[in-house]
């Protein structure tokens, strides 16, 4: 069965401005990446916009708050979600948005702060 498309407003967080309205056939979650007009953006937040129709609220539009970001090369699948960096490191944040506290920009390879997690 084909997934229905939904109108999605893409909003840059800083400076806050709408950078596009697109029809997506997938539901981007925070931490995922979106390519739009040749640029890559990290999804920070997702908001649903509802509209009252015939006495019922129906999902009308999705607003994605994004920031410009390169698509990371170091990702690991942990418990069904993608996290940045080397998850075997003690300092890994286990986050889709930030790699770690001591070396947030990365890369993890040959990082001087690497410590094996226990």
């Amino acid at each position: 069965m084909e997934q229905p498309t939904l109108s999605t407003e893409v909003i840059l967080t800083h400076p806050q401005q709408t950078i596009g309205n697109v029809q997506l056939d997938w539901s981007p979650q925070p931490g995922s990446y979106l390519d739009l007009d040749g640029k890559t953006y990290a999804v920070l937040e997702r908001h649903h916009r509802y509209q009252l129709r015939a006495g019922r609220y129906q999902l009308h539009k999705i607003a994605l708050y994004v920031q410009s970001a390169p698509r990371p090369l170091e990702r690991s699948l942990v418990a069904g979600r993608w996290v940045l960096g080397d998850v075997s490191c003690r300092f890994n944040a286990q986050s889709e948005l930030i790699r770690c506290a001591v070396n947030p920009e990365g890369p993890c390879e040959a990082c001087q702060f690497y410590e094996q997690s226990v």
Side-chain angles (χ1 to χ4, degrees), residues 25-94:
D25 60 354
W26 62 291
S27 185
Q29 299 293 327
S32 61
Y33 290 84
L34 175 72
D35 294 320
L36 183 66
D37 296 332
K39 294 182 181 176
T40 302
Y41 299 95
V43 177
L44 303 177
E45 295 180 38
R46 184 179 79 179
H47 295 249
H48 294 163
R49 308 281 193 239
Y50 292 91
Q51 193 172 51
L52 184 62
R53 288 188 184 166
R56 299 181 72 189
Y57 284 102
Q58 296 179 342
L59 183 59
H60 172 67
K61 180 190 279 192
I62 293 176
L64 296 178
Y65 290 85
V66 299
Q67 74 179 18
S68 182
R71 194 174 291 271
L73 299 176
E74 299 173 314
R75 295 192 316 171
S76 302
L77 190 61
V78 176
R81 64 186 179 95
W82 288 101
V83 298
L84 294 180
D86 183 350
V87 294
S88 69
C89 179
R90 179 183 139 195
F91 298 111
N92 186 279
Q94 300 284 316

Side-chain angles (χ1 to χ4, degrees), residues 15-32:
Q16 190 164 358
Q17 63 184 21
T18 298
I19 56 175
N21 288 293
V22 294
Q23 297 288 325
L24 296 179
D25 60 354
W26 62 291
S27 185
Q29 299 293 327
S32 61

